[in-house]
Amino acid sequence: MWKCIAYDSFDSKYETLKYTRPKECIDYPLANEVHCQKVYKVKITQDLRKYTAPARGSKTWKMIFKCRTAVERVNAYLKKFFQPNNVRYHTGKRAKVHFDMVTLVYNASIAN
């Protein structure tokens, strides 16, 4: 079923992802069957992890994912070298000061 459809658009009014059958799939053996419709819509609330807006594979999703992976690389670096999980104090103010100092040192180190 999913091999003969491609992402088309997102309808924000109904919160649905719209998939359509590409022209190349006209010769698909099961193209006229019920499960291979011309237009297939899926509500994103059906499964929020599986169906995202914007849809996976779209240009917008790829752009957002690039930004997210860049941030995750920084988080991984901070966890590896500054070890925020090994902070000995657990009060909010001191832990925040520690985190602020870590980010200040990190930003100063990449500025040079």
Side-chain angles (χ1 to χ4, degrees):
M1 174 173 78
W2 289 101
K3 293 182 180 181
C4 64
I5 61 174
Y7 174 72
D8 187 4
S9 61
F10 174 70
D11 186 6
S12 59
K13 181 179 178 184
Y14 297 108
E15 294 183 338
T16 57
L17 297 171
K18 180 181 174 185
Y19 295 93
T20 56
R21 184 174 62 199
K23 292 178 183 176
E24 299 86 34
C25 289
I26 292 174
D27 298 332
Y28 185 66
L30 302 173
N32 296 326
E33 297 293 323
V34 176
H35 70 277
C36 194
Q37 304 168 1
K38 257 188 173 176
V39 176
Y40 188 77
K41 293 186 178 183
V42 178
K43 282 191 144 311
I44 60 170
T45 55
Q46 182 178 345
D47 187 356
L48 293 174
R49 290 178 181 253
K50 193 174 188 181
Y51 305 111
T52 60
R56 287 190 171 96
S58 65
K59 290 179 184 177
T60 310
W61 185 82
K62 288 179 183 177
M63 184 180 68
I64 291 171
F65 195 75
K66 282 183 184 179
C67 294
R68 182 176 177 178
T69 54
V71 170
E72 291 299 328
R73 269 186 253 122
V74 172
N75 290 343
Y77 181 85
L78 292 175
K79 283 181 181 180
K80 183 176 181 179
F81 293 108
F82 293 103
Q83 298 180 353
N85 293 334
N86 292 336
V87 178
R88 301 238 179 230
Y89 33 83
H90 298 287
T91 61
K93 291 179 184 177
R94 291 181 74 188
K96 183 178 180 338
V97 169
H98 177 78
F99 178 74
D100 290 343
M101 293 300 289
V102 165
T103 55
L104 178 71
V105 169
Y106 175 75
N107 287 331
S109 68
I110 62 169
N112 291 329

